[in-house]
Amino acid sequence: MSPRYRSFAALLALALALVPAVPPVAAQQLAPNRISSTGDSITEAIDAELPLANHWASWAGGYSNFWTRLFGLADVRSHNQRIDFFINPGGRANFIEAKSGADSFDFPGQALQAVDHAAAYVTVFMGHNDVCQNDFADIPTDAEFEANMRAGLESLRTGLPVGATVYVVSIVDIYKLWELGDELTALGLLDCELLWSLTLLELFPCGTMLSPLNSEEDRQFTRGRNIAFNEILSALVDEYSQADPEHYYFYTGSIFDTEFVADDISWIDCFHPSPRGQKKLSHKTWNVGPFADF
Amino acid sequence: MSPSCALSTTLGASLLIVVGAVVAAGQEPARQVVATIDGRAIHLDEVEPRLGLEAYRLQADLHRLLERGVRELVDDRLLAREADRRGVTVEEFLVAEVDAHLAQVGDAEVDAYLAARDRSGDGPEVRTRVRSYLEERARIARRLEVLAELRSGVDLELLVEPPAPPRVAIDLAGLPRRGADQPDVSVVHFAGFRCPRCAESARWLEALVDEHPERVAWFHHSALSRVDDLALSAAELAAEAQAAGRFWPVHDRLMAYEGRLTTDDLGLLAADAGLAEVATPEALAGVVASRRADLGRELAEAERLGVSQAPVVFVNGRYFHPSFGREALEELVADELARTAPAASVASPAGDGGRSESETESETFDPPAAAGREESHVPEIP
């Protein structure tokens, strides 16, 4: 490079250094007309009202229509319904990607489905089955959990339409659910411990919290993992929120802190949220969520 | 303040009082007045049976929260006091008493954990998880031990009493009855005919009535599913049988299917019972359709009483869930039999002078209002 050219390059570099950095322009947030809810059995509303999946009663994708009203089924005022009521955007679509039994290892796959559905609003309520395992040896490490969730978020970042919103909800405090079942048993209302004894045969989920063989130390260990995973979710959302100007990321820890009462858990399995519990999930998450002000 | 608002405020306050009350030994709690009509009192124990289990559940929730809050506060205070006594912060105290006492988890312990689960061949990632679990568990155990030591060194008394299970008022009007005409113990079975567990609890009740034919009466109350048309059809067939005075034979045959009914079975049963008008699926479907409007009301009533999922049994208004087992039910009935002397003046739900099942019962099981709060009657877990 000639001395003259070197001088020009140096001047140009200096000039560029002096120009104030232009922050990336945030994309316009899309109306949440296409909602995709990722997660596990809670988002599928397993055992909420009737045995197995009760999608109409899902906190995120729940719905009310002619048939649910005819049969008198629960109306949980889900995010999907609130979008209709408060925002009423055109081109509505509602996809429940959640699957019973899904854990963080399944999140990347569900995220890809949300991308395929060109979702404008993705809810993420995942991690219960990471905390809830048959054995303590199966609870993922922080690194594994983070890698799984990051992989899913990365798919959303690269695949969702510009302006889409990702809303990550903290894992429920599963210790409190155990307390509720324990209370129902102690009060003579329902023998939850009988149901939970099926964890010993791996016929019922969440042996790491509900197994009758667990000590208090075991339950508190599991709760510790619950808290650690929520911290990872919060940190990931912070990171993506700062690094990705094209999408909107939100996190709420409010669900971990939520107090549930006996009527909030399913009387079918003493564990999953009842319609009242689903309604509470929807109410709490919506009110601190990305569209609360609409 | 409106009367209804005043009542609800008083009720709310009373729930709190009940939860937090310190019950002095041997002292009969005073009846609490929650409203007055022209100066005449309405007592809490008159209102509670009408609330079903709702108030009980709320009291239980409050009790749980209060007990947890008390325990956390006690632990915080004990930790602060001990740390203060040693002239350190709570964190420093915990490091000294918990972390400093922990030993490293060795390979042998990890091997033992995996071997006990027949997972010795699991990879290094599983070994990492197990090590982390064993280390953290030991830390938690030590912390709990420290707290237990602190508690044992003080005179600690938890004065928060759990709520007592209520006796709920159940309208027995029109319910088919089996057993004693003037029972000391009325057992109401909320059940459906497509539910195997209902068939099981029905067998228990049949045995109880056979054992105490002069003192125990069994009432059947439909507990319907919102979306199970076949269960609804079966309930309607039973209702038709009741109207024809043939409820129990049809009931027993329906229960004998252990929940595995088909539409054809219903037709066969209807024909056998001489119920020709509902012997075809179309005719039965017509009856069911005309009844659907009532379904919501019946479900609401069942939910008010605390029946979320059939079967549920009420023994003289005391809730019993069959998940606790036959032995616990027998104990509950025995308890009620012991409490009510034969031909005692306890509110008799039937007292119908031996009417047949097809006649309309008009009574309500109303628990004695002035009996005060019962002692805890939580069934023992078998």
Side-chain angles (χ1 to χ4, degrees):
Chain A
M1 189 184 287
S2 72
R4 200 174 69 170
Y5 193 76
R6 257 204 312 269
S7 303
F8 175 74
L11 273 174
L12 183 63
L14 182 64
L16 284 174
L18 291 175
V19 171
V22 179
V25 178
Q28 176 76 31
Q29 189 172 19
L30 291 176
N33 61 341
R34 297 173 69 82
I35 176 174
S36 249
S37 43
T38 65
D40 48 39
S41 53
I42 296 184
T43 301
E44 270 214 290
I46 292 283
D47 290 350
E49 192 163 24
L50 301 168
L52 304 176
N54 296 189
H55 284 182
W56 66 87
S58 165
W59 68 277
Y63 52 85
S64 176
N65 59 25
F66 172 80
W67 292 106
T68 60
R69 286 190 290 275
L70 178 70
F71 288 118
L73 296 171
D75 178 350
V76 301
R77 298 181 195 170
S78 68
H79 283 219
N80 175 50
Q81 291 168 277
R82 287 166 195 262
I83 288 166
D84 273 340
F85 187 81
F86 292 117
I87 305 171
N88 196 22
R92 285 302 324 277
N94 177 31
F95 305 100
I96 297 182
E97 325 291 5
K99 281 281 172 287
S100 179
D103 60 16
S104 65
F105 291 87
D106 299 301
F107 180 54
Q110 292 188 10
L112 285 174
Q113 284 177 256
V115 166
D116 286 345
H117 287 135
Y121 178 36
V122 180
T123 61
V124 181
F125 194 27
M126 188 65 101
H128 303 95
N129 288 315
D130 295 86
V131 179
C132 278
Q133 297 280 357
N134 292 327
D135 193 288
F136 299 100
D138 298 323
I139 298 179
T141 61
D142 287 358
E144 289 168 321
F145 182 76
E146 181 181 337
N148 293 336
M149 297 309 294
R150 184 183 291 283
L153 287 171
E154 196 56 24
S155 294
L156 296 177
R157 184 185 74 77
T158 55
L160 287 181
V162 172
T165 298
V166 177
Y167 186 24
V168 179
V169 176
S170 60
I171 304 164
V172 169
D173 187 346
I174 292 163
Y175 186 91
K176 287 180 184 164
L177 296 182
W178 168 78
E179 276 188 323
L180 284 175
D182 195 47
E183 175 188 308
L184 288 175
T185 305
L187 293 172
L189 293 175
L190 181 64
D191 193 351
C192 295
E193 288 177 2
L194 183 75
L195 280 169
W196 294 346
S197 63
L198 297 174
T199 57
L200 297 174
L201 304 172
E202 301 186 1
L203 296 174
F204 197 84
C206 212
T208 47
M209 182 59 78
L210 305 180
S211 167
L213 301 181
N214 284 348
S215 63
E216 182 60 16
E217 292 93 305
D218 289 326
R219 286 188 288 270
Q220 290 202 18
F221 169 78
T222 301
R223 188 167 190 263
R225 304 305 301 137
N226 198 153
I227 293 167
F229 290 162
N230 278 339
E231 285 169 358
I232 289 168
L233 292 174
S234 172
L236 278 171
V237 169
D238 270 355
E239 180 189 321
Y240 272 81
S241 192
Q242 287 172 27
D244 177 11
E246 295 196 330
H247 300 98
Y248 289 78
Y249 298 87
F250 293 84
Y251 170 80
T252 177
S254 64
I255 290 304
F256 179 81
D257 298 323
T258 297
E259 286 295 346
F260 290 96
V261 296
D263 276 346
D264 292 334
I265 60 167
S266 163
W267 280 44
I268 298 172
D269 66 17
C270 289
F271 186 59
H272 289 96
S274 66
R276 278 199 206 195
Q278 291 281 351
K279 196 172 193 173
K280 184 181 274 187
L281 283 173
S282 176
H283 171 79
K284 293 264 180 186
T285 51
W286 180 269
N287 284 348
V288 294
F291 303 108
D293 295 332
F294 276 75
Chain B
M1 190 183 285
S2 71
S4 63
C5 185
L7 174 61
S8 63
T9 305
T10 313
L11 263 177
S14 74
L15 295 182
L16 286 169
I17 291 164
V18 169
V19 168
V22 178
V23 179
Q27 193 179 329
E28 193 68 32
R31 293 184 72 198
Q32 190 179 349
V33 177
V34 290
T36 59
I37 304 174
D38 294 335
R40 296 188 64 180
I42 293 176
H43 295 92
L44 179 61
D45 56 21
E46 294 173 272
V47 179
E48 279 182 329
R50 292 164 172 262
L51 303 179
L53 290 188
E54 285 289 328
Y56 177 52
R57 288 191 203 171
L58 290 170
Q59 288 169 352
D61 287 325
L62 276 173
H63 171 260
R64 176 175 46 81
L65 295 177
L66 191 56
E67 190 178 60
R68 188 206 295 156
V70 167
R71 287 189 189 282
E72 286 173 359
L73 184 64
V74 165
D75 287 350
D76 286 350
R77 290 209 175 155
L78 289 175
L79 281 171
R81 196 167 80 173
E82 186 60 19
D84 192 44
R85 195 179 68 77
R86 297 189 189 189
V88 295
T89 65
V90 169
E91 288 71 28
E92 288 166 343
F93 168 71
L94 286 173
V95 167
E97 287 300 316
V98 177
D99 297 357
H101 287 70
L102 300 179
Q104 196 85 19
V105 170
D107 285 343
E109 289 164 84
V110 175
D111 290 342
Y113 181 93
L114 289 171
R117 287 154 182 78
D118 203 18
R119 296 179 61 170
S120 296
D122 282 8
E125 71 282 1
V126 171
R127 294 184 65 81
T128 304
R129 294 174 191 163
V130 171
R131 190 182 305 277
S132 160
Y133 160 64
L134 294 174
E135 284 173 356
E136 184 59 15
R137 190 181 183 281
R139 199 185 67 75
I140 294 166
R142 177 61 194 152
R143 185 189 159 94
L144 292 174
E145 202 176 284
V146 168
L147 285 170
E149 283 167 15
L150 292 177
R151 284 191 212 113
S152 69
V154 295
D155 182 16
L156 175 63
E157 196 180 356
L158 281 176
L159 302 174
V160 185
E161 293 284 336
R167 287 178 190 274
V168 301
I170 302 172
D171 184 3
L172 301 178
L175 297 185
R177 188 196 68 241
R178 186 178 208 168
D181 289 340
Q182 297 188 31
D184 296 315
V185 179
S186 296
V187 180
V188 185
H189 190 215
F190 281 77
F193 297 109
R194 285 253 292 158
C195 136
R197 286 183 186 166
C198 299
E200 185 181 22
S201 48
R203 284 197 299 275
W204 302 349
L205 296 183
E206 189 174 359
L208 278 168
V209 168
D210 287 348
E211 194 179 344
H212 308 283
E214 303 301 321
R215 299 192 62 197
V216 175
W218 165 13
F219 295 82
H220 174 84
H221 192 304
S222 282
L224 303 170
S225 164
R226 287 182 166 92
V227 294
D228 189 342
D229 274 353
L230 192 52
L232 195 54
S233 297
E236 284 310 316
L237 176 62
E240 293 289 321
Q242 186 187 358
R246 293 189 285 276
F247 175 80
W248 289 104
V250 170
H251 167 279
D252 292 352
R253 283 197 58 186
L254 285 167
M255 285 298 187
Y257 284 96
E258 305 266 346
R260 293 183 293 274
L261 276 168
T262 64
T263 310
D264 290 344
D265 295 330
L266 292 183
L268 199 63
L269 259 168
D272 286 356
L275 304 169
E277 61 278 20
V278 288
T280 66
E282 294 74 25
L284 197 52
V287 175
V288 169
S290 68
R291 277 265 298 130
R292 197 175 280 286
D294 299 333
L295 182 58
R297 256 197 317 279
E298 290 180 23
L299 284 165
E301 169 66 1
E303 281 170 10
R304 181 189 72 80
L305 292 168
V307 182
S308 300
Q309 293 287 327
V312 167
V313 178
F314 286 89
V315 180
N316 277 356
R318 291 165 65 179
Y319 175 98
F320 177 82
H321 196 279
S323 60
F324 288 98
R326 179 175 188 163
E327 202 176 309
L329 176 63
E330 288 169 350
E331 282 175 18
L332 183 58
V333 171
D335 190 34
E336 284 300 303
L337 286 168
R339 196 183 65 83
T340 55
S345 57
V346 175
S348 173
D352 59 1
R355 287 177 300 177
S356 76
E357 65 182 25
S358 59
E359 291 177 284
T360 301
E361 312 275 355
S362 59
E363 294 77 13
T364 296
F365 173 73
D366 261 320
R373 187 162 284 279
E374 289 287 325
E375 290 179 351
S376 176
H377 292 298
V378 177
E380 286 183 14
I381 301 165

